[in-house]
Amino acid sequence: GATLGAYVRVGLVRAGASRLPADIAAAVTTLAVVFSLGWLQLSLVTGMSLAAAFFVGVAPFVLLDIAKAAAAVVVAGALRRAGVAPGG
């Protein structure tokens, strides 16, 4: 998930997008991939229906993970502005 998110971010920045929307797109992509694959795996491994697997394995974590992704976007921007992280 994070690898695809990084590719999305780099592609958007190279296409001229500003950093904040590119960071947000990367975070959303990463979460979507991680949640989707985990949801599918939980369903396949346990034999749960997709609906049951969603309510057990995805729904309880969505809000906290969105908050963590938002914090990561903010921290990444602050680190770039401070010159500690790469700017591109």
Side-chain angles (χ1 to χ4, degrees):
T3 301
L4 183 57
Y7 278 114
V8 166
R9 184 191 185 282
V10 168
L12 288 171
V13 169
R14 286 184 179 166
S18 64
R19 292 176 185 154
L20 180 60
D23 286 347
I24 293 169
V28 168
T29 300
T30 299
L31 287 179
V33 169
V34 168
F35 280 134
S36 296
L37 294 177
W39 178 16
L40 180 61
Q41 181 181 12
L42 181 62
S43 177
L44 293 172
V45 169
T46 65
M48 288 182 190
S49 68
L50 285 174
F54 177 83
F55 287 111
V56 170
V58 177
F61 305 100
V62 170
L63 292 179
L64 182 59
D65 284 353
I66 289 171
K68 291 188 292 186
V73 167
V74 170
V75 169
L79 291 175
R80 277 195 297 275
R81 285 189 299 280
V84 179

